[in-house]
Amino acid sequence: MTAQISDSIWINEENFSVVGVNGNDLFIPQAWGINPVATVSSCWRGYVCQYKIQSNKLLLDNLQVSFGIYENNGIRQAFVPQTSPAINGVIPNAPGGDYPLFNNIYENLGLEINFSGGILAGNGFIQALYVHMGFHPAWKYHHVHELILEKGNTQEIRDVSGVIEKIRNKMIEHPLAADISESSQRDFESWIEKSFRLNYNLNQ
């Protein structure tokens, strides 16, 4: 699988990738009559969200989505793009460029997301840890913040980069945890759980 495009979130005018979520769903396109279609291998979900924290509220700011149907043209399945429905009163724009990844672009949505739980937001991706597969976990980023939200309202934002660095060092030292004793592994997992407000499965 190709490395996947992560959602992003703006916090205090700084852009982060969403690298961990524990809680109810964030944005659900199907709730707005949108069934995204995978058109590129770097986004099997068919959509990418950009969130932001504004006045302590979690908002969906921008959205890119592939919307349409696949039809058999006699040779292969061909994607037929369509215009997706309006979201929060915003009609999507067509993308520019010759080979856009998505065919519907929503901007300045200002859609409140009623999310309760935790989000890990990371920036400063460490290129040496790049793997051409899936979403990159939080420990592959230099700077990570944990956000705790209740019904879309920010309760706490804290820098957990120091904890992430220790996890990263452990993961690099024992990438598959094959040579760690069961007791040591349990201690490591217990320490991770105590270091965060919620569990993000960071030891994987």
Side-chain angles (χ1 to χ4, degrees):
M1 178 188 289
T2 306
Q4 298 296 289
I5 303 172
S6 298
D7 291 337
S8 62
I9 183 169
W10 283 89
I11 307 170
N12 297 327
E13 299 185 358
E14 190 172 6
N15 194 27
F16 292 79
S17 295
V18 175
V19 295
V21 177
N22 183 325
N24 61 293
D25 292 318
L26 290 168
F27 174 71
I28 304 173
Q30 290 79 6
W32 293 88
I34 299 172
N35 290 303
V37 177
T39 57
V40 292
S41 61
S42 58
C43 188
W44 288 110
R45 297 185 306 162
Y47 69 98
V48 175
C49 298
Q50 183 182 87
Y51 301 96
K52 68 178 179 180
I53 299 296
Q54 181 174 294
S55 300
N56 288 326
K57 289 187 175 295
L58 176 63
L59 305 177
L60 176 62
D61 191 28
N62 299 327
L63 172 69
Q64 302 178 79
V65 61
S66 293
F67 185 76
I69 59 174
Y70 276 98
E71 291 184 346
N72 194 326
N73 63 6
I75 301 175
R76 59 183 177 84
Q77 290 285 99
F79 177 65
V80 180
Q82 298 176 341
T83 301
S84 50
I87 297 176
N88 207 31
V90 177
I91 298 173
N93 296 315
D98 295 329
Y99 302 102
L101 296 181
F102 308 93
N103 65 310
N104 287 271
I105 310 296
Y106 297 84
E107 298 178 316
N108 303 314
L109 282 165
L111 180 66
E112 293 188 9
I113 302 298
N114 191 33
F115 173 81
S116 294
I119 296 174
L120 292 183
N123 70 10
F125 179 73
I126 303 171
Q127 289 296 331
L129 299 178
Y130 176 84
V131 176
H132 200 56
M133 182 174 64
F135 292 98
H136 291 291
W139 58 269
K140 292 188 177 184
Y141 292 78
H142 278 298
H143 310 293
V144 180
H145 286 67
E146 182 182 28
L147 293 76
I148 301 299
L149 300 104
E150 179 65 31
K151 295 182 179 179
N153 294 297
T154 306
Q155 305 297 307
E156 181 181 11
I157 299 178
R158 65 194 190 107
D159 191 335
V160 293
S161 302
V163 176
I164 290 293
E165 182 180 11
K166 293 180 180 179
I167 294 173
R168 177 168 57 252
N169 292 339
K170 192 77 169 181
M171 296 299 290
I172 292 173
E173 180 183 357
H174 300 285
L176 297 178
D179 54 349
I180 303 179
S181 68
E182 288 188 13
S183 61
S184 296
Q185 182 69 15
R186 284 196 301 269
D187 289 343
F188 180 49
E189 292 173 354
S190 176
W191 174 77
I192 290 176
E193 290 178 3
K194 292 176 181 177
S195 299
F196 294 88
R197 298 292 187 259
L198 296 171
N199 183 9
Y200 302 94
N201 295 319
L202 291 174
N203 56 326
Q204 296 181 6

